[in-house]
Amino acid sequence: MSDSPTGLTQAQKAEQVRSMDLLRFATAGSVDDGKSTLIGRLLLDSKSIFEDQLEAVEATSQSKGYDYTDLALLTDGLRSEREQGITIDVAYRYFATPTRKFIIADTPGHVQYTRNMVTGASTADLGLVLVDARQGLTEQSRRHAVILSLLRVPHLVLAVNKMDLVDFSQEIYEKIHAEFTQFATKLNIPDLEVIPISALQGDNVVTRSEKMPWYSGPTLMHHLEHVHVASDRDLVDVRFPVQYVVRPKSDEHHDYRGYGGMVAGGVLKPGDEVVVLPSGMTSKIAGIDLFDQEVSEAFPPMSVTVRLEDDVDVSRGDMIARPANAPKPSQDIDAMVCWMTNEPLRPRQKLAIKHTTRSARALVKDIQYRLDVNTLHRDQDTKELGLNEIGRVQLRTTVPLLCDPYSKNRATGSFILIDEATGVTVGGGMINSAS
Amino acid sequence: MTETHADYQLSQLDQLEAESIHIFREVAAEFEKPVLMFSGGKDSIVMLRLAEKAFYPAKIPFPVLQVDTGYDFPEVIACRDKWVSRLGVRLIVASVEQAIADGIVVDDGKTSRNRLQIGTLLNALEEGSFTAAFGGGRRDEEKARAKERVYSHRDEFGQWDPKMQRPELWSLYNGRIHEGEHMRIFPISNWTELDIWHYIGREGIEIPAIYFSHQRRVFQRDGMLLTESDFNPLRTGESAEERTVRFRTVGDLTLTGCVESEADTIDKIIDEIAIARVTERGATRGDDRFSEAAMEDRKKEGYF
């Protein structure tokens, strides 16, 4: 075994890679808040940018007559965006430090903001909201916080950017901090960190700023590397949506019948008593397979194949849970829906719905209110939801869904709505309750 | 029985693997006729491995499609054949030569084989009436890919419209398509080049020999080191010499450059990549260098 350039042996490095975990985070902010510059900075300072990418950006910056390298150009992907100088869609970025890999869902702040933010936030462990220190909290930053809270993103970072333009003033930071903390009491944000930064100059992004000695909290990178996300999963309530029935039908594995799927909640173990929904049949777990290995337990988000002791009828769309802890099959769904297409959502409309591995049709029974994401006001007079609007909706489904409240489980509490004629995804839903 | 993780933590590689397996199963369950597009490169071999895991002990329930440019590395074909026979999966080869002969694509002598692949591929997908085609694209490869969905919708002409992409929420994928349309599926979207190599190392996955350091007669063209071969005659002023090289990507032999390298094991390759300063495509792919938006243009036409 030879020593690597980092001074670690191959065995040590392999161990490091094996234990490296994952943080998915969503960023929100407008072009003016310096979001793209911040992401460019994170990529650059974690050495995730390559020379040819940096050279291309330097050349473009020069041809545009800038006197500094515009790091925002690193993330503006499509030509149509580069021409317009705006970001039009969710883009995914990757970087890693020795202990953690990061997936950034980079969402634009203005056009189509709700649709894109909801998409980016749906898979995020952490939300990063940027504000311009000169402007303080805006309607837009409040809106971003509201959406992250609705999507139950458990960790939120408010990055107060452009501190260099306000002389690194502690007073301004404290004012924004206090104002945001006050606003956040109305939301569901279990963990909040407010960090003063300058994305352009790198202060408190990766290295601690010497210009803000009054700030004793973590740098942004330190926080991203250390925020604890493992306990955000539900390890108590067993939920296993059956995705695919594995039946080899070969001589070697003649009698093999396994249920492939991704664990959505709880810990499954061989020997556990289980119930299959919606049939209600009970059995015991005979074994859990991960490729050619048997494993002693399975937990979220593992993709495994579960075998049962009894020959019960199980198919895709069913759910394996525990007899004393199972969701009640429900056809009446009360949910917050984010609408994502031009033609508004109206009562009596029929749509296709996809929930875990189960597909059905849904009828819109009622739209109870539209939520103003800027003020949190509930508008009960409107009876429709327009593009990028969020509201509370009652649905009736053709077959029972095996669901939980979204606040309990993001995987079994979420669904998408699909236009049956065009096949396009037109809405995302978060279940409040079901009966 | 293997003991899993006492703290109920999955490493990021395990999380990526679980996500990819989930995508393979979802497509196999929802699409009538999926196919796996196989380039012979390390990414598509990792895809084969993930598909193997997703359905084990059953066989992979869809065929593998390869576009034969006629300029493929023999080491790549040899590796492909080993995988195909071990997995017992059906292999469909769509030949660019044949497509030229049949008049499906036109070889004007100037167009690269990678570009001619597009027409050949689209034709093969149409002929097989495949409704979903797995591709090994990764979002870290290129700026245009960074915005592409895991399920990427293609119209009747196989075209991608970045403005018409469907929102993709949670892990709920929308596989609805109309007659004549199909979906490109990218199960390893969230993997980086380094993740791929770590996974190949961890799993002991067999990849073509050209990824490892070896002796080869090469020559310089457009700032790249290209293989001397009959497909690639030397032009005036060019001369070939033997160097110690390896390939970072696998493609059309006439266009895929190699880098000088002593890395003859996976661990050494990982070390080399960890300190590499140029992206794999930027360094060695002539087809992506023609314009800054080269990839975006090819994608819109129906490239992988």
Side-chain angles (χ1 to χ4, degrees), chain A residues 15-324:
Chain A
E15 180 49 39
Q16 199 175 58
V17 170
R18 263 197 291 276
S19 59
M20 182 191 272
D21 73 352
L22 179 64
L23 182 85
R24 296 177 196 250
F25 71 97
T27 56
S30 71
V31 240
D32 308 327
D33 297 329
K35 180 174 55 94
S36 297
T37 309
L38 176 63
I39 293 173
R41 170 66 62 189
L42 286 170
L43 299 180
L44 188 69
D45 288 2
S46 64
K47 301 188 172 58
S48 307
I49 295 291
F50 292 101
E51 256 167 32
D52 53 336
Q53 293 172 312
L54 193 61
E55 275 166 18
V57 163
E58 278 168 352
T60 313
S61 300
Q62 233 169 28
S63 72
K64 288 190 173 181
Y66 300 154
D67 47 10
Y68 60 91
T69 302
D70 185 1
L71 294 176
L73 293 170
L74 283 168
T75 60
D76 294 343
L78 303 175
R79 180 167 44 193
S80 49
E81 292 177 2
R82 286 198 296 277
E83 282 160 2
Q84 294 164 39
I86 53 152
T87 317
I88 53 169
D89 206 337
V90 188
Y92 294 87
R93 318 275 169 211
Y94 304 84
F95 69 98
T97 64
T99 54
R100 202 166 242 188
K101 174 177 165 175
F102 300 90
I103 301 179
I104 314 175
D106 180 13
T107 64
H110 37 36
V111 201
Q112 298 274 345
Y113 57 87
T114 308
R115 167 182 152 148
N116 289 325
M117 261 213 73
V118 167
T119 303
S122 70
T123 51
D125 306 303
L126 180 144
L128 174 64
V129 176
L130 264 92
V131 294
D132 184 331
R134 293 171 302 176
Q135 309 200 339
L137 286 190
T138 57
E139 190 175 282
Q140 186 174 275
S141 31
R142 288 194 185 86
R143 184 162 71 211
H144 291 153
V146 167
I147 292 170
L148 290 166
S149 151
L150 265 174
L151 270 288
R152 299 269 167 180
V153 178
H155 307 273
L156 194 141
V157 174
L158 182 73
V160 183
N161 192 22
K162 307 199 182 179
M163 289 300 289
D164 51 316
L165 299 180
V166 295
D167 294 326
F168 300 99
S169 158
Q170 181 176 10
E171 199 184 324
I172 286 174
Y173 166 79
E174 297 290 356
K175 185 171 163 285
I176 294 171
H177 190 313
E179 203 185 333
F180 190 79
T181 313
Q182 168 68 26
F183 175 69
T185 56
K186 291 189 241 171
L187 306 174
N188 196 305
I189 299 170
D191 173 41
L192 171 68
E193 195 73 45
V194 185
I195 306 176
I197 63 165
S198 165
L200 193 63
Q201 301 185 1
D203 294 78
N204 284 341
V205 177
V206 174
T207 47
R208 177 158 285 285
S209 172
E210 287 170 11
K211 295 169 189 133
M212 290 178 272
W214 46 264
Y215 174 73
S216 58
T219 63
L220 178 60
M221 186 71 102
H222 185 274
H223 183 63
L224 293 175
E225 270 194 292
H226 293 92
V227 64
H228 189 66
V229 290
S231 52
D232 299 335
R233 292 162 306 157
D234 177 359
L235 294 173
V236 175
D237 309 295
V238 170
R239 300 289 186 265
F240 186 76
V242 175
Q243 189 187 9
Y244 189 88
V245 181
V246 181
R247 291 196 64 189
K249 295 175 201 158
S250 64
D251 292 341
E252 199 185 339
H253 304 278
H254 192 265
D255 295 322
Y256 189 96
R257 188 182 171 91
Y259 307 105
M262 184 179 259
V263 183
V267 179
L268 288 82
K269 294 187 178 106
D272 281 353
E273 269 196 58
V274 291
V275 60
V276 180
L277 299 173
S279 73
M281 307 272 274
T282 55
S283 184
K284 273 188 181 171
I285 296 180
I288 304 171
D289 298 333
L290 185 62
F291 186 36
D292 56 359
Q293 304 277 313
E294 269 195 71
V295 293
S296 58
E297 44 195 10
F299 51 90
M302 286 170 76
S303 276
V304 294
T305 306
V306 173
R307 284 175 285 113
L308 298 182
E309 280 183 4
D310 306 282
D311 195 10
V312 288
D313 183 26
V314 184
S315 50
R316 174 176 163 86
D318 291 355
M319 182 178 288
I320 293 172
R322 303 270 280 158

Side-chain angles (χ1 to χ4, degrees), chain A residues 13 51 79 94 101 233, chain B residues 8 190 195 271 277 297:
Chain A
K13 269 193 308 175
E51 256 167 32
R79 180 167 44 193
Y94 304 84
K101 174 177 165 175
R233 292 162 306 157
Chain B
Y8 301 116
N190 285 326
D195 295 330
D271 277 348
R277 300 311 307 148
D297 290 337

Side-chain angles (χ1 to χ4, degrees), chain B:
Chain B
M1 196 170 295
T2 17
E3 277 309 309
T4 44
H5 321 64
D7 52 355
Y8 301 116
Q9 287 259 45
L10 274 194
S11 73
Q12 70 104 5
L13 265 189
D14 286 328
Q15 287 194 46
L16 291 175
E17 180 189 72
E19 180 181 79
S20 302
I21 289 175
H22 175 78
I23 294 163
F24 272 113
R25 287 172 170 170
E26 198 62 12
V27 171
E30 286 202 320
F31 286 85
E32 221 168 293
K33 244 189 140 183
V35 66
L36 189 147
M37 299 189 290
F38 185 77
S39 73
K42 63 184 192 312
D43 298 331
S44 56
I45 289 176
V46 164
M47 290 221 299
L48 274 185
R49 174 66 165 188
L50 292 164
E52 179 186 15
K53 286 196 174 194
F55 304 104
Y56 188 89
K59 281 188 179 160
I60 297 175
F62 38 78
V64 166
L65 168 68
Q66 194 198 14
V67 176
D68 173 7
T69 62
Y71 297 162
D72 294 306
F73 289 93
E75 295 90 335
V76 173
I77 303 294
C79 185
R80 173 198 77 187
D81 291 343
K82 266 190 174 175
W83 270 92
V84 163
S85 83
R86 188 175 69 74
L87 296 178
V89 67
R90 186 161 70 95
L91 173 72
I92 304 165
V93 177
S95 148
V96 172
E97 297 283 346
Q98 193 59 47
I100 294 169
D102 294 347
I104 293 159
V105 293
V106 179
D107 185 9
D108 57 5
K110 284 178 281 187
T111 312
S112 81
R113 285 282 160 124
N114 273 0
R115 228 167 218 290
L116 295 178
Q117 270 188 68
I118 299 173
T120 311
L121 173 75
L122 291 177
N123 183 63
L125 289 175
E126 212 171 294
E127 273 191 353
S129 29
F130 294 111
T131 51
F134 293 102
R138 309 188 320 262
R139 288 177 180 145
D140 78 322
E141 274 182 280
E142 212 274 341
K143 286 199 280 189
R145 282 217 207 271
K147 309 217 159 179
E148 187 154 12
R149 306 289 188 257
V150 172
Y151 276 36
S152 187
H153 181 262
R154 300 301 154 103
D155 65 14
E156 302 96 309
F157 303 98
Q159 297 181 108
W160 180 60
D161 181 353
K163 288 193 173 152
M164 289 297 286
Q165 295 204 92
R166 297 171 178 180
E168 210 155 71
L169 299 114
W170 298 286
S171 47
L172 294 170
Y173 301 103
N174 174 2
R176 295 209 174 207
I177 47 166
H178 289 112
E179 185 77 38
E181 301 173 345
H182 74 275
M183 203 71 91
R184 293 291 168 87
I185 314 280
F186 299 102
I188 56 168
S189 285
N190 285 326
W191 297 57
T192 63
E193 185 185 12
L194 216 47
D195 295 330
I196 294 287
W197 282 111
H198 280 304
Y199 192 72
I200 289 169
R202 185 183 92 170
E203 302 280 312
I205 292 172
E206 187 179 351
I207 53 169
I210 62 169
Y211 279 111
F212 300 100
S213 178
H214 59 281
Q215 299 291 311
R216 180 177 289 265
R217 285 189 63 81
V218 294
F219 64 94
Q220 286 272 356
R221 183 179 290 167
D222 305 327
M224 289 191 300
L225 280 182
L226 297 179
T227 291
E228 184 190 39
S229 88
D230 296 344
F231 305 133
N232 220 10
L234 292 177
R235 295 173 192 161
T236 342
E238 290 175 341
S239 63
E241 55 177 330
E242 187 149 294
R243 303 257 197 110
T244 307
V245 297
R246 67 176 204 88
F247 288 84
R248 284 181 73 184
T249 65
V250 161
D252 175 342
L253 181 152
T254 63
L255 272 172
T256 306
C258 51
V259 290
E260 290 199 73
S261 169
E262 303 280 342
D264 53 4
T265 64
I266 303 271
D267 286 334
K268 287 182 192 167
I269 290 172
I270 289 172
D271 277 348
E272 192 181 277
I273 291 165
I275 54 169
R277 300 311 307 148
V278 182
T279 59
E280 52 188 331
R281 283 195 172 270
T284 60
R285 286 297 275 267
D287 42 333
D288 284 331
R289 308 201 322 170
F290 297 136
S291 84
E292 211 201 330
M295 178 75 118
E296 190 178 336
D297 290 337
R298 281 186 299 141
K299 281 186 71 62
K300 282 182 182 165
E301 288 173 33
Y303 180 74
F304 293 64

